[in-house]
Amino acid sequence: MVETFGFKKRGKKNGKSSNAGHVTGRKKKGKLTARERIQLLLDPDTFVEYDKFVEHRCSDFGMGTEDNKFPGDSVVTGQGQINGRLVYVFSQDFTVFGGSLSGAHAQKICKIMDQALLVGAPVIGLNDSGGARIQEGVESLAGYADIFLRNVLTSGVIPQISLIMGPCAGGAVYSPALTDFTFMVKGTSYLFITGPDVVKSVTNEDVTQEDLGGAKTHTAVSGVAHRAFENDIDALLNLREFFNYIPLNNKDPAPITECQDPWDRLVPGLDTLVPLESTKAYDMLDIVHAIVDEREFFELMPNYAKNIIIGFSRMNGCTVGIVGNQPKVASGCLDINSSVKGARFVRFCDAFNIPIITFVDVPGFLPGTNQEYGGIIRHGAKLLYAFAEATVPKITVITRKAYGGAYDVMSSKHLRGDLNYAWPTAEVAVMGAKGAVQIIFKGKVNEEQAEAQYVDTFANPFPVAVRGFVDDIIQPATTRMRICRDLEMLANKKQTNPWKKHGNIPL
């Protein structure tokens, strides 16, 4: 009876916040509690909580009193299911010491990460923390390092997803940065190394939390976050949808769902989508939506480096990664930000057995001193490295321009592309006609006549087709059918790279 009473007494305390007023205040802002977030994210009645009675071990600065001890401390951890698939999750509780990380807090997170690695299941972190627990000093810092180590060791083995649902400051930001995908909530989530007050004291800059590390900043300016959502509920529901696209681990195949969209569906609208004028823009998303299953495309980083498109979709029910140049922005040129954006996505797909479909309309790398001084050579090489290294099925469709080194970079046949197609509107050349004529003839001939000759020679897909650099010139309307058929053929593709400890990608 004594033991039972003790259990009930602790059980009553478990789950309560350090300040009921905090919960009320958060509700007014539209923020859910740590446990409500887990309940909404996971399938009903599937959450199994771990370490619900763990308490912090600090006794300094009055922390040892009973009033400062809360079962479970400032994080809720465990495992459950999303649409019937296993996932491990931790949800930081801002109402307990501001969600600050203690040694016990870190220990709980490390435990689920270790078990997730053991069984091969993804980890989702719902971040809402003020940072390190200052009262614990170096033990809190050690806890962060323990988590960082596991982020690194599990990278490429199990998917890791971070959803920032409140503040995430100081050293705490490096765990989301190490995970595969980072999502944020508009207006209530912040990521920064140092807050506005420190920035003001050091650099004399006046900046708000939102401008320094809000969702808009990190989805449109820094590229730290992949998407931002309107509120907690919107974010968690979108995360459930996103989870359906990714495999559980690096030994699982890409998820396959039942498809009602015919694999051999023709898309006649594609035959006239690309303008005949090579300088006229069009929206690459129109092509993506027309080809994929049910027009569903989960775009990532839509507001950052808009000159390249990345995201997940399905073809005949199979998850695929989509990469495409966007002619509507900077003519689809590759630059520093788009190269890094594309490279990281390609490497995730390759690590987790997700086929990559690439749509190419690229006039080259963006020229200018800003790009050269910023290291476009090094950053552009990242995208080249990622495509060349990838051993998953790779299918490439050249819709219009493929000029210069950018042609090579965008999953060309020379980088082990499995199937490479060109539309009749494709142009593959070293550069555009005007620049080429100026170099070849240097004003010695009629430039208009020379340009016309160059266009006749290279502004069509036949020069690459006769050399076998594309496998076929296809009618745009048949693109979906071709890709679906090729994916089925490539389903058992096995390709390996030479043994190495790891490559030295130009970081």
Side-chain angles (χ1 to χ4, degrees), residues 350-371:
D350 186 46
F352 291 100
N353 312 308
I354 298 173
I356 301 167
I357 300 172
T358 307
F359 295 98
V360 182
D361 186 349
V362 59
F365 283 92
L366 188 66
T369 55
N370 285 340
Q371 291 293 307

Side-chain angles (χ1 to χ4, degrees), residues 32-92:
L32 303 176
T33 66
R35 294 179 185 278
E36 287 172 340
R37 289 167 174 170
I38 290 177
Q39 289 168 4
L40 187 57
L41 175 65
L42 302 181
D43 296 343
D45 302 319
T46 63
F47 181 57
V48 179
E49 186 174 352
Y50 290 2
D51 295 330
K52 65 172 68 175
F53 296 110
V54 166
E55 297 177 348
H56 72 76
R57 299 176 289 272
C58 180
S59 58
D60 297 324
F61 307 104
M63 293 292 287
T65 64
E66 194 62 27
D67 288 343
N68 282 326
K69 294 267 181 115
F70 297 89
D73 203 42
S74 52
V75 66
V76 182
T77 61
Q79 47 97 348
Q81 294 181 0
I82 296 179
N83 295 319
R85 303 168 71 219
L86 179 64
V87 63
Y88 284 78
V89 63
F90 69 84
S91 180
Q92 294 177 322

Side-chain angles (χ1 to χ4, degrees), residues 302-317:
N303 298 316
Y304 178 78
K306 294 181 181 180
N307 43 332
I308 198 167
I309 296 165
I310 61 170
F312 292 113
S313 195
R314 295 185 182 90
M315 296 293 287
N316 199 23

Side-chain angles (χ1 to χ4, degrees), residues 190-389:
Y190 309 99
L191 275 166
F192 39 66
I193 298 291
T194 53
D197 293 340
V198 177
V199 170
K200 172 70 174 175
S201 65
V202 175
T203 68
N204 206 32
E205 292 177 275
D206 286 309
V207 64
T208 64
Q209 275 193 329
E210 185 64 34
D211 289 339
L212 182 63
K216 185 176 181 180
T217 296
H218 288 310
T219 55
V221 181
S222 72
V224 167
H226 291 79
R227 279 275 287 267
F229 304 106
E230 295 300 324
N231 51 54
D232 282 14
I233 295 174
D234 183 43
L236 292 164
L237 293 179
N238 271 280
L239 186 51
R240 282 181 60 88
E241 178 190 347
F242 175 76
F243 188 80
N244 293 334
Y245 287 102
I246 61 175
L248 296 180
N249 57 67
N250 63 358
K251 293 183 180 178
D252 266 9
I256 298 175
T257 60
E258 187 178 352
C259 178
Q260 303 298 329
D261 195 350
W263 71 270
D264 56 354
R265 169 172 58 84
L266 297 178
V267 191
L270 294 181
D271 289 338
T272 55
L273 195 148
V274 177
L276 293 176
E277 297 176 46
S278 63
T279 56
K280 194 171 180 181
Y282 62 95
D283 193 346
M284 186 63 80
L285 283 171
D286 290 340
I287 294 177
V288 173
H289 285 135
I291 288 174
V292 300
D293 291 356
E294 310 290 351
R295 299 183 59 86
E296 292 179 353
F297 177 54
F298 195 101
E299 187 176 0
L300 296 167
M301 306 178 83
N303 298 316
Y304 178 78
K306 294 181 181 180
N307 43 332
I308 198 167
I309 296 165
I310 61 170
F312 292 113
S313 195
R314 295 185 182 90
M315 296 293 287
N316 199 23
C318 177
T319 293
V320 294
I322 303 284
V323 179
N325 306 112
Q326 176 55 287
K328 280 182 65 178
V329 181
S331 300
C333 279
L334 289 174
D335 60 7
I336 291 171
N337 291 342
S338 62
S339 297
V340 175
K341 171 182 171 179
R344 191 171 186 198
F345 179 73
V346 168
R347 283 170 66 83
F348 176 85
C349 291
D350 186 46
F352 291 100
N353 312 308
I354 298 173
I356 301 167
I357 300 172
T358 307
F359 295 98
V360 182
D361 186 349
V362 59
F365 283 92
L366 188 66
T369 55
N370 285 340
Q371 291 293 307
E372 295 292 352
Y373 296 167
I376 182 62
I377 297 171
R378 173 167 50 89
H379 294 295
K382 293 175 183 176
L383 185 56
L384 187 155
Y385 190 106
F387 272 124
E389 181 187 44

